[in-house]
């Protein structure tokens, strides 16, 4: 059975006992910084391992800062948590920071919560009832209305055991993160340890990481190598989604990596300055948000300034409805579909709301209800529907492109792709994928184009492959693979570089068949000493356009050799002459020996012999020619009619 990894957040107002509760649960003091000790407040998120009885799980607790000035650190700390403990001091009750933390947690999609009233020994039973009533009244109708509520005291230990049991119950039904996906770890801390080098820390959102892995830091696009890994000060060789990890890297200095950067192992993630989003507002705004107003966006552990763009209004007031809009940022962030974000106003400082990314790397859209409806529809689609939509739009997309734009991890994507391939809705093509419907549509267009071509040029072997590929709305290399796919499936046939419908055979058009047969008869009777090709057309009253087509027909069908631009010789006398020469000579022959057999002037003999050289039948060595292959190997033609 795979080991399970979870991260718990400890959130609440300043001085409500989060750090003390964390220590009571884990025996670890998460206030590490000198300034934190002096001021008795948490500035940076603190981390501690939690060992639950009867559970072999890897659980981390993050104690996030509660002071309003450290809200960015708080948002960075709760990014990627599975369960939150909302701490409320019994002697003070719900405070402003508690409310904001609950709003942020809800907007970030943290669904599982436990409400914990600390400093319980400082209040009597009657006060406990009032505190509980006040808390229940506040959360009524909100995300954490059904959350369990416990009273604890970190100093005396009251309620700590019950809290541990409840944490175990909540985590036991919580799904684990997928460690098989594309690796992603947003960085929330970066520092240097003497003798070791650069250390980065964060919660692994997806995938897994091993020592010696090559990684990429985005958005700066800089490479590094994993030297060592630690989980709660314990060296490990591999870390998984859901774990807090400290990563010792080589190749980059502390100044090269900062909070907000994202460590990845593949190009399944993109950096972008434009996000289409679905926004949910907090219950109360200090004032309306104007169109293109400046905002601060928090996503993962990153903070980016930018502006908000509405498509159906010029300002935003309090609303219970979701708002479909766009965020245009001043600096790039790493994001993908379904990522959560928080939106804050820089002045007056307040949390505006948060929501879900619909599309990262979005294009700019027109103002109007049509754009809003488009974003609504895009937001509703499942990953599989999004995949189908993407393939419908792009015609062909590789696997990494699908990772980025569907927000599926590689395993989930492969499962969806294989199901659709098995049901013949999608085909695999050239390390990418296409919709069967699109492949069939393009085949219909190609077949129609070939039918027109065959009707117009009945003597030709088919249409040039390059011309057919150029007609496809695909990259040239993908178009080539698609043509080869149709060829393999028997949808098309090929003769060298020429493609044709399987039902097609080059033939004389009915209206010209009689003259063409008569022309061919006369031409073949002339043997090797043929007339100018156009002279045959003039004798039979065949237009130049058709005489050219007829010449092309004989050459494409390997029924003739072209001696020069003016003379064409039928394959039968050519084969008979070379076979006779082969049997009358040994390993090589001279020009005179060839002339005695062929019985033609140099005007015809030299081009015939040069043709044999070009086709690899003979090799000229000074005044003689050496046989490389028998004439029957070069000159056999099943299409030849007697």
């Amino acid at each position: 059975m795979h080991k399970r990894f979870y991260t718990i957040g400890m959130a609440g107002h300043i001085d409500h006992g989060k750090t003390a509760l964390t220590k009571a649960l884990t025996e670890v003091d998460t206030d590490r910084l000198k300034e934190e000790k002096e001021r008795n407040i948490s500035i940076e998120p603190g981390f501690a391992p939690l060992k639950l009885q009867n559970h072999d799980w890897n659980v981390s607790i993050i104690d996030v800062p509660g002071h309003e000035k450290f809200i960015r650190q708080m948002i960075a700390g709760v990014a990627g948590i599975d369960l939150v403990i909302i701490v409320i001091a019994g002697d003070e009750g719900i405070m402003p920071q508690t409310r904001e933390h609950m709003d942020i947690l809800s907007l970030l999609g943290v669904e599982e919560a436990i409400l914990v009233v600390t400093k319980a020994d400082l209040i009597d039973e009657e006060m406990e009832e009032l505190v509980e009533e006040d808390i229940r009244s506040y959360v009524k109708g909100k995300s954490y209305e059904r959350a369990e509520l416990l009273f604890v005291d970190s100093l005396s230990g009251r309620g700590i055991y019950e809290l541990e049991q409840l944490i175990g119950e909540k985590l036991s039904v919580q799904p684990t993160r997928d460690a098989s996906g594309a690796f992603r770890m947003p960085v929330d801390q970066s520092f240097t340890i003497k003798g070791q080098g650069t250390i980065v820390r964060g919660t692994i959102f997806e995938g897994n990481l091993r020592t010696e892995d090559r990684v990429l830091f985005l958005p700066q696009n800089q490479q590094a190598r994993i030297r060592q890994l630690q989980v709660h000060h314990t060296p490990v060789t591999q870390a998984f989604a859901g774990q807090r990890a400290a990563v010792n890297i080589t190749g980059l200095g502390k100044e090269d990596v900062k909070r907000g950067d994202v460590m990845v192992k593949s190009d399944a993630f993109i950096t972008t300055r434009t996000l289409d989003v679905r926004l949910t507002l907090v219950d109360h705004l200090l004032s309306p948000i104007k169109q293109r107003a400046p905002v601060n966006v928090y996503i993962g552990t990153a903070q980016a300034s930018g502006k908000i763009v509405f498509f159906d209004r010029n300002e935003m007031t309090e609303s219970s409805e979701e708002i479909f809009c766009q965020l245009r940022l001043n600096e790039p962030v790493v994001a993908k579909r379904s990522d959560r974000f928080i939106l804050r106003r820089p002045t007056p400082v307040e949390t505006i709301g948060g929501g879900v990314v619909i599309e990262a790397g979005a294009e700019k859209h027109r103002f109007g209800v049509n754009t809003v409806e488009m974003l609504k529809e895009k937001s509703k689609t499942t990953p599989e529907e999004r995949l189908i939509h993407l393939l419908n739009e792009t015609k062909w997309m590789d696997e990494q492109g699908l990772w980025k734009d569907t927000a599926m991890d590689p395993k989930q994507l492969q499962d969806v792709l294989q199901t659709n391939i098995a049901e013949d809705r999608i085909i695999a093509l050239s390390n990418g994928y296409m919709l069967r419907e699109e492949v069939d549509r393009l085949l219909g267009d190609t077949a129609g184009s070939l039918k027109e071509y065959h009707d117009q040029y009945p003597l030709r072997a088919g249409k040039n492959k390059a011309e057919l590929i150029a007609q496809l709305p695909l990259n040239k290399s993908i178009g080539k693979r698609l043509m080869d796919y149709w060829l393999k499936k028997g949808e098309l046939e090929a003769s060298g570089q020429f493609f044709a419908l399987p039902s097609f055979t080059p033939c004389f058009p009915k209206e010209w068949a009689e003259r063409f047969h008569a022309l061919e008869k006369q031409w073949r009777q002339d043997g090797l000493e043929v007339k100018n090709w156009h002279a045959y057309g003039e004798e039979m009253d065949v237009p130049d356009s058709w005489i050219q087509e007829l010449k092309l027909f004989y050459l494409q069908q390997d029924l003739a050799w072209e001696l020069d631009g003016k003379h064409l010789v039928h394959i039968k006398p050519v084969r008979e002459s070379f076979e006779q020469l082969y049997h009358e000579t040994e390993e090589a022959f001279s020009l005179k020996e060839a002339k005695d057999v062929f019985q033609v002037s140099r005007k015809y003999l030299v081009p015939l012999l040069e043709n044999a050289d070009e086709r690899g039948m003979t090799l000229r060595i000074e005044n003689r020619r050496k046989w490389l292959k028998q004439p029957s190997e070069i000159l056999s033609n099943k299409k030849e009619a007697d």
Side-chain angles (χ1 to χ4, degrees), residues 122 132 137 312 513:
L122 298 180
E132 182 170 359
S137 175
D312 59 351

Side-chain angles (χ1 to χ4, degrees), residues 373-533:
E373 290 303 315
M374 178 271 292
L375 293 177
K376 283 183 180 179
E377 286 302 311
K378 190 180 289 188
S379 176
K380 290 177 185 175
T381 57
T382 64
E384 183 171 0
E385 289 170 338
R386 179 64 176 156
L387 181 147
I388 300 298
H389 176 74
L390 281 168
L391 291 179
N392 192 45
E393 278 190 338
T394 60
K395 311 305 179 191
W396 176 93
M397 186 175 278
D398 64 16
E399 199 163 306
Q400 290 180 336
L402 291 173
W403 285 348
K404 295 175 182 178
D405 290 345
T406 63
M408 285 190 275
D409 61 66
K411 183 179 181 301
Q412 182 188 11
L413 176 61
Q414 268 301 312
D415 289 344
V416 171
L417 285 170
Q418 292 308 313
T419 297
N420 280 273
I421 289 171
E423 296 174 359
D424 203 30
R425 287 195 294 267
I426 290 176
I427 70 162
L429 185 76
S430 184
N431 299 319
Y433 302 89
M434 290 186 72
L435 293 178
R436 161 61 65 190
E437 183 180 352
E438 180 64 16
V439 171
D440 290 346
R441 186 187 70 78
L442 292 176
L443 176 60
D445 291 346
T446 301
S449 174
L450 281 173
K451 177 65 169 58
E452 291 179 5
Y453 193 86
H454 295 332
D455 291 343
Q456 186 176 0
Y457 303 106
L459 291 170
R460 298 188 184 182
K463 198 169 187 178
N464 190 289
K465 184 179 181 180
E467 291 182 49
L468 285 172
I469 292 173
Q471 292 175 353
L472 295 171
L474 298 168
N475 174 281
K476 184 178 177 180
S477 63
I478 305 305
K480 180 181 181 298
R481 295 295 181 91
L482 185 57
M483 296 290 293
D484 292 340
Y485 172 82
W486 287 330
L487 186 65
K488 184 178 179 181
K489 292 292 183 180
E491 304 288 358
L492 301 177
E493 287 187 350
S495 176
Q497 63 182 354
F498 303 106
F499 273 58
L501 295 174
S503 59
F504 173 74
T505 301
C507 60
F508 294 164
K510 291 181 180 179
E511 62 272 26
W512 293 99
E514 187 176 345
R515 295 192 198 187
F516 287 179
H517 282 301
L519 185 152
E520 181 179 328
K521 183 179 180 181
Q522 179 60 52
W523 170 53
R524 291 178 65 170
Q525 286 177 352
D526 289 344
L528 296 177
E529 290 190 315
V530 292
K531 293 178 285 197
N532 183 303
W533 179 248

